[in-house]
Amino acid sequence: MTLRHQIVALAIVPLVIAILAITAFITWQSADLARDNIATFEQNMLKAKETEILNLTNLALSAIQSTYGDAGQDDQVAKDKVAAILNSLDYGEDGYFFVYDYDGNNIVHPRQGFRHGQNWLNLTDPDGDKVIAELIATAKSGGGLHQYKWQKPSSGRMADKLSFVVSLDKWHWVVGTGVYLDDVFAQTAAANKSMRANIKRTFVVVALIAVPAVLVVFTTCMLVTFHERRMADGKLKELTQRVINAQEEERSRLARELHDGISQNLVGVRYTMDLAGRKVRTDADDAAQTINRGIEALNGAIKEIRRLSHDLRPRVLDDLGLTAAIEALCFNFVERTGIQTDIEASGFIEMLRPEASTALYRIAQEAFNNVERHSGASRLSVRLWSEKGRARMTISDNGSGFGDGRDGPLRQSGLGLRNMQERMAHFRGLMLINSDASGTVLTAMLPKSANRPTNQQAEAA
């Protein structure tokens, strides 16, 4: 895999895993909440069943109360009457009342007649529960609920049953009724099954929507990133070529300066010195004058070398600072062009980093060259000041301007102007230009980040 593919893979795989993990977590939370709701639903249904059998038991007790209350302990007639009443209280296919005595003998069981008169004290259900013994014990302790497994009359199958029993202490009887819970558990199981199916379907739907959506967004971002990268690469190549062109242009300028200026001056000095040498050998009267002309030509060459050196890197910028360097630039500009030049730096504080000072100096240098070559101006003004710790420089002239009037970020396509803009952009600064027929105003603004650290400012002070 290439580096680009590795980056894409490393970005996509964790993203997909995170989406799936979040989806799984949300699904788990939903399932947990659904289980809680189903458990609550089951408990509510059980409570409803409990209330139902309690009410039925109270109704049965009310039906036999008059007979039981007036009967004696051994009143067989009353016992038979009560047994007949309880045997007749039928409320559905699986709803009935049962009666056992304390010894476990069945007295009433409308749905299973074979139990009548038999002792079932040792009867156990499939779970090992001694059903009749537990019902008798519950009734003796004051009555209550007991859950066990019992054959369901309507289906003939064993099912969970919840019964409520009370005792008729005078006769040593246990009276009770119950409801089967298989319908409750069936509804709960159906709800659980539906819940699991819904959660699975939800997980699949979320995954099918979220993952492709994330991939689409990510792919779009990657395409945009690659496009921006290609554009950046193109701009970098263009900038590199412009730097090379600028270097070649500077070399060409230096070559012209050396050939047309210094070289010609030195050749003139050589011929002058040769002529002076011949005159000295012939004892000519004007030999000294010829030597003086050679010295003047040599001084001109020295000045030209100094000017070229100053253009390449002014020492005054390093030694005395930006204000002094621009003042020197203004002096040389006046001396060279005769254009009236004013500089104001009363509110300027020297606190820029060296490279930022160099950037402003080069901008001023390029602006001066543009004024000299193209503007036809008779007056040039430079102002340096600081605003809330931010360096500012304005260069204005009364020349003919260039192009249509502008007031905003520099948009000119000339190499010199673009270099000025890029010097400011390097420090996150801003270049503004306003040019019309009455002249041009160029403003360079640097942010606080172009200043030297506080400790270095203190040392410089």
Side-chain angles (χ1 to χ4, degrees):
M1 295 177 65
T2 64
L3 178 60
R4 179 180 297 182
H5 292 159
Q6 291 176 357
I7 293 174
V8 171
L10 289 175
I12 290 179
V13 172
L15 187 61
V16 173
I17 293 175
I19 292 296
L20 292 177
I22 292 172
T23 304
F25 177 72
I26 294 174
T27 303
W28 174 80
Q29 279 194 323
S30 300
D32 190 58
L33 179 61
R35 281 191 294 268
D36 290 341
N37 291 336
I38 292 172
T40 303
F41 168 74
E42 183 179 359
Q43 292 298 322
N44 290 336
M45 290 191 68
L46 291 175
K47 289 291 184 182
K49 294 289 186 180
E50 292 175 6
T51 304
E52 178 185 354
I53 58 178
L54 285 174
N55 292 335
L56 289 172
T57 303
N58 289 330
L59 288 174
L61 293 176
S62 298
I64 66 173
Q65 181 60 39
S66 60
T67 304
Y68 175 74
D70 297 335
Q73 184 174 359
D74 297 322
D75 190 344
Q76 188 62 40
V77 176
K79 289 182 180 181
D80 292 341
K81 185 177 180 180
V82 169
I85 293 173
L86 293 175
N87 194 64
S88 65
L89 293 178
D90 194 329
Y91 54 95
E93 190 176 13
D94 296 317
Y96 56 90
F97 286 88
F98 56 84
V99 180
Y100 291 87
D101 62 19
Y102 284 179
D103 295 327
N105 298 308
N106 180 260
I107 298 172
V108 175
H109 203 301
R111 296 293 185 271
Q112 296 177 345
F114 66 90
R115 298 190 183 278
H116 183 69
Q118 303 293 322
N119 186 281
W120 303 98
L121 189 63
N122 296 320
L123 177 68
T124 58
D125 68 359
D127 293 335
D129 184 74
K130 299 186 71 172
V131 177
I132 306 304
E134 291 293 336
L135 290 173
I136 294 171
T138 303
K140 286 182 177 181
S141 63
L145 296 165
H146 182 62
Q147 184 175 333
Y148 53 94
K149 282 185 170 54
W150 196 263
Q151 186 179 31
K152 189 173 183 179
S154 59
S155 63
R157 297 178 180 178
M158 299 297 289
D160 286 284
K161 184 176 183 180
L162 181 66
S163 293
F164 182 81
V165 291
V166 294
S167 65
L168 301 179
D169 290 333
K170 185 166 53 178
W171 295 347
H172 290 182
W173 280 10
V174 174
V175 179
T177 187
V179 291
Y180 291 92
L181 304 178
D182 53 339
D183 57 337
V184 175
F185 297 147
Q187 292 183 42
T188 303
N192 278 316
K193 183 178 179 181
S194 176
M195 178 266 294
R196 287 192 293 269
N198 288 335
I199 289 174
K200 182 178 179 180
R201 184 166 55 252
T202 302
F203 179 82
V204 173
V205 170
V206 171
L208 290 177
I209 294 176
V211 173
V214 171
L215 291 179
V216 168
V217 173
F218 178 79
T219 302
T220 303
C221 293
M222 293 299 294
L223 291 176
V224 172
T225 301
F226 290 150
H227 177 68
E228 293 293 331
R229 179 181 174 183
R230 286 194 295 269
M231 292 182 61
D233 290 342
K235 290 182 179 180
L236 181 60
K237 291 179 181 178
E238 180 184 355
L239 178 60
T240 302
Q241 186 61 44
R242 283 164 53 191
V243 170
I244 294 174
N245 293 339
Q247 290 176 343
E248 292 299 326
E249 182 180 338
E250 186 67 13
R251 289 170 181 171
S252 298
R253 185 183 71 83
L254 287 175
R256 287 195 302 270
E257 295 285 352
L258 291 174
H259 180 271
D260 298 340
I262 297 174
S263 178
Q264 297 300 325
N265 288 340
L266 292 178
V267 170
V269 171
R270 175 187 172 185
Y271 287 136
T272 301
M273 297 305 293
D274 288 342
L275 178 61
R278 287 196 299 271
K279 288 185 177 182
V280 168
R281 285 193 297 272
T282 60
D283 294 329
D285 294 338
D286 58 346
Q289 185 178 359
T290 303
I291 292 173
N292 288 335
R293 287 200 303 272
I295 292 173
E296 290 177 359
L298 185 60
N299 286 334
I302 293 172
K303 288 182 179 180
E304 189 68 16
I305 292 173
R306 286 177 177 173
R307 184 183 67 81
L308 289 176
S309 175
H310 185 273
D311 288 343
L312 291 175
R313 179 68 185 183
R315 289 292 304 276
V316 67
L317 180 62
D318 297 326
D319 297 339
L320 301 179
L322 179 62
T323 303
I326 293 184
E327 287 176 349
L329 185 64
C330 292
F331 177 79
N332 292 333
F333 181 76
V334 172
E335 188 178 52
R336 185 174 70 252
T337 64
I339 298 176
Q340 179 184 348
T341 304
D342 301 320
I343 180 171
E344 178 187 352
S346 58
F348 183 69
I349 303 174
E350 294 276 358
M351 56 185 176
L352 291 172
R353 289 186 289 170
E355 55 270 26
S357 296
T358 302
L360 285 181
Y361 179 83
R362 293 302 184 192
I363 290 172
Q365 198 174 36
E366 183 65 33
F368 282 24
N369 289 336
N370 290 339
V371 171
E372 180 181 358
R373 295 175 185 174
H374 310 297
S375 71
S378 61
R379 188 178 71 254
L380 179 69
S381 298
V382 180
R383 183 189 174 203
L384 288 171
W385 82 100
S386 297
E387 182 177 316
K388 297 180 179 180
R390 301 174 177 86
R392 302 286 188 264
M393 180 177 71
T394 297
I395 301 174
S396 58
D397 64 64
N398 64 345
S400 59
F402 56 90
D404 54 345
R406 297 175 184 270
D407 189 2
L410 193 60
R411 295 184 177 89
Q412 301 302 320
S413 58
L415 181 61
L417 296 177
R418 281 186 294 172
N419 287 341
M420 295 160 68
Q421 174 68 28
E422 288 169 2
R423 287 183 187 277
M424 295 303 299
H426 176 73
F427 296 98
R428 298 182 180 179
L430 185 63
M431 175 76 75
L432 302 176
I433 186 168
N434 183 18
S435 182
D436 54 31
S438 62
T440 300
V441 178
L442 184 148
T443 303
M445 298 183 289
L446 287 172
K448 283 186 176 181
S449 57
N451 295 341
R452 287 175 293 182
T454 307
N455 57 343
Q456 295 185 10
Q457 294 183 25
E459 292 175 2

